[in-house]
Amino acid sequence: MLAAEALYQTKSSHDEQAFLKAMAFLKHNENDDGLLCHNKKCSKAYCIETSSAYFQLLGAMGESGKVRQSIQNIVSLQQNTGQWFVGNPDVHENKGFPSVTAFALNCLKKASVKAYYIDQSLSWLLNKQTPEGDWGSSWEYYGIPGYALWPILQTLHDHSSKEVETSMKKAVRYILSHQLDDGSWKHKNNNVHDKQASKELQTALMLSALGYAGYNDHQESFARGIDFLLQHQLKNGAWDGGYFPIESARYEKKEYIFATSRILCLLNNYLDFQKQN
C-alpha cells in the first residue's frame, strides 16, 4: 500500500507497470466489504489503517466514487465516542490507538464523506494529546511518537477552531524540540530488545507531520532533516527503516519499504514546495 502511494506520487513512467500491478494486488485482496487487512492470513478481516490509506490513494486518483460503499463501511465502524478501533486481529494491546481514528478521518475527508460523529472524533483526538504535545507511542504502532503525529496533524490541518490551532501549535513545538543536532529524530521505545525503528524512518514521519503545519514556517528544520535523509540513502536507493519492534525470536520484520516509501513521498512534496517558492 505505502509503496503504491509512493509510486503514484512520484509519477514516473518507468514505474507505471509496477504501480498498476500494486493496485491490482490491493484490489484482489479486498474482503467482501471492500476493506483490506495487512496480510493474507487476515484477508477476511480488516485493518482500518490499511483500508483508509488505500481509499485515500483512490481518492487522490479520483476514484472514490467506485468504492463509495466500501468507504461507507468504514463510517459504520465508528464508535459513538467518535473513535475507531483498528480491527486488525494481530493487534491485541492497543486497538484504539489515536492514529487509527486519524487514518479513518483522513480517508473520509479525501472521499468527501461525512463521519457520523465528526465533532466527537475531533474532541476525542484532542483529549488524547499528551501534555508534551504528542499522542504517545505503542509498540504495535512502531513504538515511536512520529507514527501518530503523522496522520493526526493531517487531520488537524483539515479543521479550524481555536482548540485545533492550540493543539497543532503544541504538536509542532514537540516536534521541533526533539530534532537532534544532525537533523534527525530518534525516540527509543520502551522495549528491552534491539528491534527499533530507524532514525531514517522516524525522521521521515516527523517531517511528514511537520509538513501539515506548513513548510514556510519551518524551512530550517526541514532543510536539516532532508539533508540527513539524503546523506543516509543506501547505495541501492533505499533507506534503512530498522525493525518493527515486536519482541519475538521467531519473527523479524524489516521496515525499509515503509521508510523508503514515506521518504519518497516526503521528498516529492518538498520538491513541489521549492518549485513554488
Side-chain angles (χ1 to χ4, degrees), residues 87-155:
N88 183 337
D90 289 337
V91 175
H92 301 285
E93 297 179 16
N94 206 336
K95 297 179 182 294
F97 192 60
S99 62
V100 179
T101 294
F103 268 100
L105 289 174
N106 296 337
C107 158
L108 299 184
K109 177 70 176 180
K110 180 66 70 173
S112 299
V113 173
K114 289 187 176 181
Y116 290 143
Y117 309 105
I118 183 63
D119 292 337
Q120 291 91 331
S121 290
L122 286 174
S123 294
W124 187 87
L125 277 177
L126 294 177
N127 287 334
K128 288 294 181 179
Q129 189 173 24
T130 72
E132 290 74 24
D134 68 331
W135 275 264
S137 61
S138 173
W139 76 265
E140 291 174 308
Y141 301 82
Y142 295 88
I144 50 178
Y147 184 80
L149 282 159
W150 162 43
I152 291 174
L153 263 65
Q154 180 184 353
T155 300

Side-chain angles (χ1 to χ4, degrees), residues 24-76:
F25 172 83
L26 293 170
K27 177 67 177 176
H28 177 74
N29 283 277
E30 292 179 9
N31 66 16
D32 293 341
D33 293 322
L35 304 179
L36 293 174
C37 201
H38 68 291
N39 61 37
K40 290 184 178 180
K41 290 181 179 180
C42 67
S43 60
K44 298 300 182 182
Y46 66 86
C47 173
I48 286 293
E49 292 193 338
T50 304
S51 300
S52 296
Y54 176 46
F55 295 142
Q56 278 196 79
L57 176 55
L58 290 174
M61 296 167 61
E63 297 187 5
S64 292
K66 296 180 181 179
V67 289
R68 182 71 57 173
Q69 183 54 54
S70 299
I71 294 173
Q72 286 295 335
N73 288 333
I74 287 185
V75 174
S76 69

Side-chain angles (χ1 to χ4, degrees), residues 194-219:
D194 293 331
K195 293 177 182 175
Q196 306 279 333
S198 69
K199 289 176 74 173
E200 291 89 335
L201 176 53
Q202 296 193 53
T203 300
L205 292 175
M206 288 297 217
L207 288 176
S208 296
L210 190 60
Y212 291 110
Y215 291 96
N216 273 320
D217 295 332
H218 308 101
Q219 291 190 49

Side-chain angles (χ1 to χ4, degrees), residues 1-7 53 142 150 257-258 261-262 265:
M1 175 55 240
L2 295 169
E5 179 187 14
L7 291 171
Y142 295 88
W150 162 43
I257 293 293
F258 186 10
S261 299
R262 186 89 301 268
C265 292

Side-chain angles (χ1 to χ4, degrees), residues 68 113 160 255 264:
R68 182 71 57 173
V113 173
S160 178
E255 295 297 344
L264 283 176

